[in-house]
Amino acid sequence: MAGRRPFGVTLVAIIAWLTGALQIIAGVLLMIGGEITLGILAMLIGFVTILVSLGLFGGSNGARILTAAVFVLNIAGSVYLMITEPAQLWSAVGSAVLPLVGLLLLFTSRANSFFR
């Protein structure tokens, strides 16, 4: 971990942490609504997301790679939605923006130096 954490990495880590927290809340709400299996799955994904965000804060290159893989999957899902559901075009474009920005921020020269 070389030097101070770049702002872009901090921003991506905060967004990931908030996403994980929201996934945990969604899991609890699903369980209250009777969807036990989905609720547990959502909560597990939320906990993993929070752990990955903490890894980003700490400069873990493994966390960066895992986050990048999830972002690529999110973008691929958005592209798939653009192709299969033209009526959802703007929703799909909107869903692809944050992961794309996150990818760009995680692989700037300052971020590469930080994760080295």
Side-chain angles (χ1 to χ4, degrees):
M1 178 167 62
R4 286 185 56 221
R5 180 177 54 242
F7 173 74
V9 173
T10 302
L11 182 62
V12 172
I14 289 169
I15 291 169
W17 191 93
L18 289 172
T19 300
L22 291 173
Q23 288 170 326
I24 292 169
I25 292 168
V28 169
L29 293 175
L30 282 167
M31 290 177 68
I32 290 171
E35 297 288 340
I36 304 301
T37 304
L38 285 176
I40 290 172
L41 182 62
M43 289 174 61
L44 286 173
I45 291 170
F47 284 122
V48 169
T49 303
I50 287 175
L51 289 175
V52 168
S53 77
L54 296 176
L56 289 174
F57 279 119
S60 166
N61 195 45
R64 176 171 77 152
I65 291 168
L66 185 57
T67 302
V70 170
F71 285 166
V72 167
L73 290 174
N74 285 336
I75 292 167
S78 294
V79 169
Y80 177 77
L81 186 61
M82 287 178 209
I83 293 168
T84 60
E85 296 289 335
Q88 299 293 324
L89 176 66
W90 292 112
S91 175
V93 168
S95 296
V97 169
L98 272 180
L100 181 59
V101 170
L103 272 177
L104 294 173
L105 292 173
L106 284 177
F107 290 95
T108 62
S109 61
R110 291 189 66 214
N112 288 338
S113 176
F114 175 69
F115 286 109
R116 199 169 290 128

